[in-house]
Amino acid sequence: MPQLLQRCCAVISLLICQFALSQNLEPIYDVQVDRDIEYGLGDIEGGQKSLLLDLYRPVETAFTIKQRPAVLLIHGGSFQTGSKENATLVAMARDLAARGYVAASINYRLQGDNPLPSSRVSHIPTETGVIAPVAQQIAAQAAFEDALTALEWLVSVSERYRISDIGIIGSSAGAITAINVAYLTDDFSVESPQKHRISFVVDFWGGVLLPFGNPAEAVNSVEAGEAPMFIVHGSSDVIVAFNYSVLLDRRAKEVGLDHEYHVIQGGGHGFGAIDPFTVTVTGGQSIANAMYDWIYQISQHSFGQQSVGSWYEPATSGQGLLLDLDDRNKQLFGAWFTYNNEAGSDSGQIPGAEQRWFTAQGKYSGRRAVLDLYQSRNGRFDANNSVNTTKVGTLEVDLDSCKKGLARYDMPSLGLSGEINIVRLMSNSSCP
């Protein structure tokens, strides 16, 4: 083969390798379905029940395959009915796999199985009364446990299927379960070593139900730095109160959670009342397509190793941020180099008192970080004197992509507030 042709083939192969099975906004991949995979066992009266899932994944090629997110789909049915073959969730699983994700639709123990949740979740309180009968609440415990088991199974096969992080989509009881797994484990001392792998939650007409009887208190389980959330709820839902999503939206705003909220005016409960493939949201997109776009943006542009490094403000030469993060605990650290309002003196060994550094630290969620902003004063170069560090406000950083974003600052004690556009100073391997 001529040398030039060899080089061309090598370049083409490299491009195909880089492109192979990356996530896409449009369905471009063939889909393979592996049915009835046992992801665990659940105790029931008289024995154990095999827990099964169906796995939808893009057809593999002979080329190197990039890591891709997985999505766990959890059906509804009041913890009494339903299955992994739910038609709407199956359609979503196929759509996601066609876009380059791995999707797992699961069965879990239902009330009629007479489940026996293990000590991992059995301490979660159950109450009689208006929320649900005890038997149904025990089934909810079992669903919680089984979803955790499914999450751990996906982590255990992450090398085989090249899975990076894991999102969760739930409908009704499935949404309640998804919320339990992503946001409530730490509040109820439920062992969940893989919680940090959860990258997002899609909540179709669910809510935070624990502790029972006080939804305004229950929603406080959603905290800064936890998984981003996509919320859909019908305003006329009489099965799971619409107010649950109102409270979730309010709480997400309070703690800086990256989220998107869609109210379906006059909509009822469930996929039978609201078809996500035909009902539209603001902008004219179907609910499903709005969700796919949101998942894509979360998967591609969230804080991660691609955001570590130097960012600067093009409008002000020399001003910018240095970012680092702890991705397990969702902590972001920043050093902000900026300028004083007045020029400094040229006298002294190191002139330039107009230069100013701030430091920032806090939680990030998806593409958004809300950080406490600190000013350190009285430091002297090459001198062992005391430095005073004081919180002066907040710094919010929102990413549009791994290459650009917006930083908003509010420093009441200094009488300063505003925003700056930031772009990456240099690319890295995760954000070329």
Side-chain angles (χ1 to χ4, degrees):
M1 182 182 293
Q3 188 174 17
L4 178 61
L5 183 57
Q6 286 181 331
R7 289 179 179 175
C8 289
C9 289
V11 171
I12 292 170
S13 296
L14 177 62
L15 290 173
I16 293 174
C17 287
Q18 291 177 339
F19 177 75
L21 290 185
S22 60
Q23 286 66 61
N24 199 280
L25 279 169
E26 300 300 327
I28 62 173
Y29 304 115
D30 292 331
V31 176
Q32 178 173 333
V33 185
D34 303 318
R35 300 191 185 279
D36 294 330
I37 298 173
E38 184 178 87
Y39 68 88
L41 295 170
D43 291 336
I44 59 175
E45 290 186 11
Q48 289 185 312
K49 181 179 177 67
S50 180
L51 304 173
L52 304 178
L53 61 79
D54 293 338
L55 197 69
Y56 300 76
R57 52 195 176 97
V59 173
E60 298 189 9
T61 72
F63 302 107
T64 301
I65 300 171
K66 283 180 153 185
Q67 280 198 316
R68 58 272 179 116
V71 182
L72 183 65
L73 297 101
I74 310 175
H75 68 81
S78 301
F79 303 105
Q80 299 170 321
T81 62
S83 78
K84 59 185 173 62
E85 286 88 16
N86 176 277
T88 303
L89 291 185
V90 165
M92 288 180 179
R94 286 188 174 277
D95 283 350
L96 287 164
R99 286 166 167 81
Y101 302 84
V102 174
S105 182
I106 67 168
N107 281 344
Y108 53 88
R109 286 170 292 172
L110 300 173
Q111 182 176 330
D113 295 318
N114 297 316
L116 299 174
S118 76
S119 58
R120 185 179 191 181
V121 296
S122 60
H123 63 281
I124 294 173
T126 56
E127 300 176 1
T128 57
V130 295
I131 297 295
V134 169
Q136 191 176 6
Q137 292 179 33
I138 292 173
Q141 289 179 345
F144 191 169
E145 182 176 24
D146 294 348
L148 287 168
T149 301
L151 173 68
E152 289 159 357
W153 182 86
L154 283 170
V155 171
S156 74
V157 297
S158 58
E159 185 174 350
R160 182 191 315 171
Y161 298 114
R162 296 177 178 86
I163 291 169
S164 54
D165 48 15
I166 300 167
I168 311 177
I169 297 175
S171 167
S172 189
I176 293 167
T177 302
I179 288 169
N180 288 345
V181 169
Y183 307 106
L184 271 66
T185 53
D186 52 342
D187 300 276
F188 288 89
S189 301
V190 175
E191 181 186 359
S192 182
Q194 303 301 337
K195 180 180 176 178
H196 67 285
R197 298 288 293 267
I198 301 172
S199 56
F200 66 83
V201 169
V202 176
D203 161 27
F204 285 108
W205 32 87
V208 185
L209 270 60
L210 295 171
F212 296 114
N214 191 344
E217 177 187 345
V219 79
N220 291 332
S221 295
V222 177
E223 298 171 332
E226 294 188 311
M229 185 183 296
F230 185 93
I231 307 167
V232 181
H233 214 135
S235 63
S236 298
D237 192 338
V238 296
I239 305 298
V240 177
F242 172 63
N243 188 51
Y244 284 128
S245 66
V246 174
L247 292 170
L248 264 177
D249 173 56
R250 184 184 305 163
R251 177 64 177 174
K253 291 174 180 175
E254 286 176 357
V255 300
L257 203 73
D258 187 349
H259 79 297
E260 195 167 300
Y261 178 39
H262 296 284
V263 177
I264 310 304
Q265 294 295 338
H269 184 81
F271 291 128
I274 303 173
D275 182 351
F277 298 103
T278 58
V279 176
T280 59
V281 296
T282 302
Q285 275 188 309
S286 70
I287 296 170
N289 283 336
M291 178 187 70
Y292 299 145
D293 286 359
W294 182 82
I295 290 174
Y296 176 82
Q297 296 301 324
I298 289 294
S299 299
Q300 298 295 315
H301 301 149
S302 292
F303 279 100
Q305 293 306 313
Q306 69 273 15
S307 56
V308 169
S310 303
W311 297 71
Y312 76 106
E313 182 192 11
T316 309
S317 177
Q319 177 169 252
L321 291 165
L322 296 173
L323 298 179
D324 201 357
L325 58 81
D326 172 2
D327 52 8
R328 187 179 185 91
N329 295 304
K330 300 295 187 281
Q331 284 276 350
L332 185 69
F333 309 89
W336 178 21
F337 176 65
T338 182
Y339 301 101
N340 204 337
N341 288 332
E342 299 178 0
S345 169
D346 287 335
S347 62
Q349 286 184 303
I350 303 178
E354 72 277 4
Q355 297 173 351
R356 179 179 288 179
W357 283 90
F358 294 93
T359 53
Q361 179 177 343
K363 293 281 193 176
Y364 67 87
S365 170
R367 299 162 294 180
R368 186 161 189 258
V370 180
L371 313 175
D372 291 329
L373 190 61
Y374 299 91
Q375 181 184 22
S376 296
R377 301 192 63 191
N378 304 319
R380 294 176 58 195
F381 179 74
D382 200 23
N384 187 24
N385 63 303
S386 299
V387 177
N388 298 324
T389 299
T390 306
K391 181 181 175 181
V392 292
T394 57
L395 180 69
E396 297 182 13
V397 183
D398 291 278
L399 298 184
D400 293 330
S401 70
C402 66
K403 295 185 177 180
K404 64 179 181 177
L406 185 69
R408 301 180 184 89
Y409 58 91
D410 183 24
M411 295 181 274
S413 61
L414 303 179
L416 298 173
S417 63
E419 62 184 36
I420 57 173
N421 292 299
I422 54 174
V423 298
R424 285 199 65 87
L425 181 62
M426 293 179 290
S427 62
N428 63 23
S429 58
S430 299
C431 181

